[in-house]
């Protein structure tokens, strides 16, 4: 079904919810932060410092999110001779014409001080012999500006410091809890979330946290693919929740595939070991089986080109040679440098029978980071009043069509602080009021029939084959049809016999994965060009005339996907101010039944 979309920024509640039992318990707060990575915990700490009653909800333990897996580091203009303007230039180039420049300027200008505040919180970064920060380079950066910790364990150190600070300050946390849906009041303003606490959490079963502000910091959605660097918890829960709540998402077609992931076999599934870009930053070379450096001459930065260029270079060489992987050669580092600078990667390689000290490491691209997500402004505000987002779940406009290496941790820091400042200002102005619904409405029938848990693997295979690094109109059409069939099978089963999958974590996750996969494929089909992370085999050229703009998707109350495009690479406001007209153009309306 096709047609036109209409307004944007309305924050219209959809009343679409996951099928789940009614909440059996509740707690109240000023702010509920969903997620415990760098974005979530930084938001929580800053909100608590501002006097806001803050609750942190996290899907596993506090330190089990994506942040702890980050190896490379945090990018910021901290080195001698480096400037925010140079960092901005590198970010804009990597973003392939789709970065929102004011958002990037905010990131690079506020970034250095945000990193210093992180250090004051307790994070310890590696230092040179002279006591200065030891900075390295990664892909797309023209200067050494990546601060790292423990050699290649930056995320683990940041997570440690933030978790310790949260516990030291006594913030209320609910661990092992999967967030389900957004609660809203009669005016459509955020009123909290429903969640299901698993096993070792503080509560049992489905409950609610009532709060006038909700901050989504749920991380990515790498689990839509068979092979990813993301942990198992990265199932797109935040994006799916936001869509059901009526929020806009943008740029979901731009999924970054990390070029150098340890190749464990063509049939390997689940989380795969990352081989940090910092290894190339320190001088490792990409080579084929004959030892030929194939990135030389393809880009001025060779192996340190932006990630999309390196991933495409690896895949082209694989196609030319009919090979399953390429190699990363860092034998010239020697044992001492491997053990000192990259101990985590060294251990991971050796655990899989590969010794980087004496042999090249087999590598291939795998799903790594979502450049798109829930659309926000520069204060983290979404199109639903009271709902905020930051970190990988959000689309601030910083990354454009391709994230610059190590900008993700910085984005989490900077925009988390901006969200906390906005909420503190609302509280000071007396505009942050409790919004506790008298009763949590439950639909008579689930609007989204729950999928059987095993459907997760079918979704991953469909997405890997049809919407991976290499895509085409045909592959995306096939993926869309197969995803639609999964949805219709579940819908028909409900209509015919009133049955749906048993509510539970695995079924909710599979349902969320299908939701975000369908939106990703819809946007990817519409963008008929190759740009950044998005590589269309049948549309090999970048098209700035027609496609230097964003694709914005919203789930309407009638369950249709409203897909729009912006006029320019800049985002319109999340909530148009009086007298403003929308800068979003109608494009397509796709039936979500």
């Amino acid at each position: 079904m096709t047609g036109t979309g209409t307004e944007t920024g309305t924050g219209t509640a959809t009343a679409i919810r996951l099928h789940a039992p009614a909440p059996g318990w509740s707690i109240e707060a000023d702010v509920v932060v969903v997620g415990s990575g760098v974005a979530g915990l930084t938001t929580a700490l800053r909100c608590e410092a501002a006097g806001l009653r803050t609750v942190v909800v996290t899907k596993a333990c506090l330190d089990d999110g994506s942040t702890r897996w980050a190896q490379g580091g945090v990018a910021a203009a901290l080195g001698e001779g480096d400037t925010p303007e140079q960092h901005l230039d590198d970010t804009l180039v990597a973003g392939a014409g789709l970065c929102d420049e004011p958002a990037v300027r905010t990131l690079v200008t506020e970034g250095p001080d945000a990193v210093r505040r992180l250090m004051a919180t307790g994070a310890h970064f590696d230092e040179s012999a002279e006591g200065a920060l030891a900075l390295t380079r990664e892909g797309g950066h023209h200067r050494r500006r990546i601060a790292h910790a423990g050699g290649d364990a930056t995320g683990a150190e940041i997570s440690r410091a933030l978790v310790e600070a949260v516990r030291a300050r006594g913030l209320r946390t609910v661990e092992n809890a999967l967030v389900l849906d957004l609660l809203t009041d009669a005016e459509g303003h955020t009123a909290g979330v429903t969640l299901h606490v698993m096993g070792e959490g503080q509560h049992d079963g489905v409950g609610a946290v009532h709060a006038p502000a909700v901050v989504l910091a749920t991380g990515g959605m790498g689990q839509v693919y068979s092979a990813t660097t993301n942990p198992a918890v990265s199932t797109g829960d935040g994006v799916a929740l936001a869509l059901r709540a009526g929020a806009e998402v943008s740029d979901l077609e731009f999924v970054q595939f990390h070029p150098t992931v340890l190749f464990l076999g063509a049939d390997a599934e689940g989380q795969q070991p990352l081989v940090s870009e910092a290894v190339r930053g320190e001088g490792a070379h990409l080579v084929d089986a004959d030892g030929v450096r194939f990135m030389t001459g393809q880009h001025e930065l060779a192996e340190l080109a932006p990630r999309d260029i390196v991933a495409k270079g690896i895949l082209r060489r694989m196609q030319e040679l009919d090979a399953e992987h390429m190699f990363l050669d860092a034998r010239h580092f020697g044992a001492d440098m491997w053990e000192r600078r990259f101990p985590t990667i060294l251990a991971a390689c050796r655990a899989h029978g590969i010794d980087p000290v004496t042999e090249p490491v087999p590598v291939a691209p795998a799903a790594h980071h979502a450049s798109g997500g829930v659309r926000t402004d520069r204060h983290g505000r979404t199109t639903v009043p009271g709902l905020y987002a930051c970190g990988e779940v959000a689309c601030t406009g910083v990354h454009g069509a391709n994230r610059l290496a190590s900008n993700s941790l910085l984005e989490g820091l900077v925009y988390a602080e901006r969200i906390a400042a906005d909420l503190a200002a609302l509280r000071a102005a007396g505009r942050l009021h409790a919004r506790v619904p008298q009763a949590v409405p439950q639909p008579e029938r689930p609007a989204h029939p729950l999928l059987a848990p095993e459907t997760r693997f079918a979704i991953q295979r469909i997405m890997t084959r049809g919407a991976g690094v290499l895509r085409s109109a045909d592959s995306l059409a096939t993926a869309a049809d197969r995803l639609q069939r999964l949805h219709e099978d579940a819908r028909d089963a409900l209509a015919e016999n009133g049955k749906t999958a048993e509510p539970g974590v695995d079924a909710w996750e599979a349902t969320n994965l299908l939701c975000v996969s369908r939106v990703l494929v819809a946007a990817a089909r519409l963008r008929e060009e190759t740009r950044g992370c998005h590589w269309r085999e049948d549309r090999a050229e970048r098209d700035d005339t027609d496609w230097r703009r964003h694709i914005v998707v919203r789930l309407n109350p009638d369950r249709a996907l409203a897909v729009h495009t912006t006029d320019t690479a800049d985002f319109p406001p999340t909530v148009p101010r009086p007298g403003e007209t929308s800068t979003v153009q109608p494009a397509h309306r796709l039936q979500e039944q």
Side-chain angles (χ1 to χ4, degrees), residues 57-137:
V57 173
T58 186
K59 193 172 180 180
C61 296
L62 280 182
D63 62 352
D64 275 350
S66 292
T67 292
R68 64 175 288 202
W69 298 100
Q71 295 174 346
V74 185
L78 296 163
E80 184 177 352
D82 197 4
T83 65
E85 199 69 25
Q86 295 176 63
H87 189 182
L88 180 142
D89 289 343
D90 285 345
T91 300
L92 295 180
V93 169
L98 275 191
C99 294
D100 183 84
E101 187 167 339
V104 179
R105 193 170 294 280
T106 295
L107 177 83
V108 299
T109 302
E110 299 181 9
D113 283 343
V115 173
R116 295 184 184 103
R117 284 188 286 273
L118 176 63
M119 295 166 66
T121 302
H124 303 294
F125 289 94
D126 296 338
E127 297 180 347
S128 66
E130 294 76 29
L133 279 177
L135 303 175
T136 190
R137 278 182 69 193

Side-chain angles (χ1 to χ4, degrees), residues 158-181:
I158 290 173
S159 181
R160 179 205 62 78
L162 292 174
V163 168
E164 285 188 4
V166 164
R167 288 175 173 156
R169 296 182 193 182
L171 267 74
R172 186 165 190 176
T173 61
V174 183
E175 297 180 89
N176 300 296
L178 172 65
V179 66
L180 299 176
D181 281 304

Side-chain angles (χ1 to χ4, degrees), residues 225-470:
Y225 294 99
S226 296
T228 177
T229 62
N230 290 190
V233 295
S234 297
T235 51
D237 306 319
V239 172
L241 174 149
L243 281 163
R244 289 191 296 272
E248 292 180 351
V249 302
S250 184
D251 299 354
L252 220 62
E253 70 271 30
F254 295 117
V255 177
Q256 186 177 79
F257 283 70
H258 198 287
T260 51
V261 175
L262 185 63
F263 181 76
L264 300 180
D267 297 326
E269 295 183 337
Q271 186 177 9
Q272 310 290 298
L274 179 66
V275 182
S276 171
E277 201 150 326
V279 178
R280 281 174 280 138
E282 296 292 351
H285 301 146
L286 282 166
V287 299
D288 59 24
D290 294 324
V292 177
R293 286 183 63 187
F294 53 88
M295 286 303 300
T296 303
Q298 292 197 33
H299 189 277
E300 62 169 335
L301 296 176
E303 284 94 351
L304 285 178
R307 286 180 176 173
D308 62 315
I309 294 173
V310 178
K312 292 169 187 174
I314 290 173
L315 284 168
R316 285 194 190 101
R317 194 65 165 180
M318 287 166 57
Q319 288 179 331
E320 291 170 4
L321 301 178
D322 193 24
E324 292 184 321
H325 60 82
M326 290 290 107
F327 293 92
L328 190 64
D329 192 352
R331 290 174 290 181
H332 54 286
F333 284 5
D336 180 68
M337 181 173 176
W338 268 110
E339 292 167 359
R340 172 178 50 82
R341 181 67 178 84
F342 302 111
T344 306
I345 299 170
L346 178 64
C349 289
R350 284 177 170 170
H352 291 282
I354 301 156
D355 189 350
V357 177
T358 60
E359 59 185 318
V361 178
V363 293
H368 181 57
H369 189 276
S371 292
V374 185
R375 187 169 81 81
T376 74
D377 65 10
R378 279 180 285 153
H379 299 282
R381 296 176 292 217
T382 74
T383 53
V384 173
L387 179 64
Y388 295 74
C390 62
E392 192 173 352
V393 70
C395 184
T396 62
V398 160
H399 303 311
N402 180 51
R403 176 177 67 98
L404 180 66
S406 288
N407 267 359
S408 52
L409 291 175
L410 188 71
E411 182 193 32
L413 283 172
V414 169
Y415 282 89
E417 292 189 341
R418 293 180 71 83
I419 288 172
D422 192 66
L423 290 170
L426 288 175
R427 180 178 183 273
R431 294 168 55 198
L432 194 67
H433 303 296
R435 297 172 183 266
V436 181
Q438 292 300 310
V440 179
Q442 296 294 312
E444 293 182 7
R445 296 194 316 169
H448 279 292
L450 296 183
L451 300 179
E454 59 269 21
T455 311
R456 174 179 185 143
F457 304 106
I459 294 168
Q460 291 171 336
R461 287 190 289 270
I462 290 168
M463 294 296 290
T464 298
R465 292 168 185 163
V469 180
L470 294 175

Side-chain angles (χ1 to χ4, degrees), residues 6 23 28 53 63 144 150 159 196 203 213 219 255 333 365 405 455 464 508 511 528 582:
T6 52
E28 295 185 15
R53 293 178 304 158
D63 62 352
R144 285 183 170 264
S159 181
H196 173 77
H203 302 272
V255 177
F333 284 5
T455 311
T464 298
W508 289 321
T511 304
E528 295 181 336
S582 171

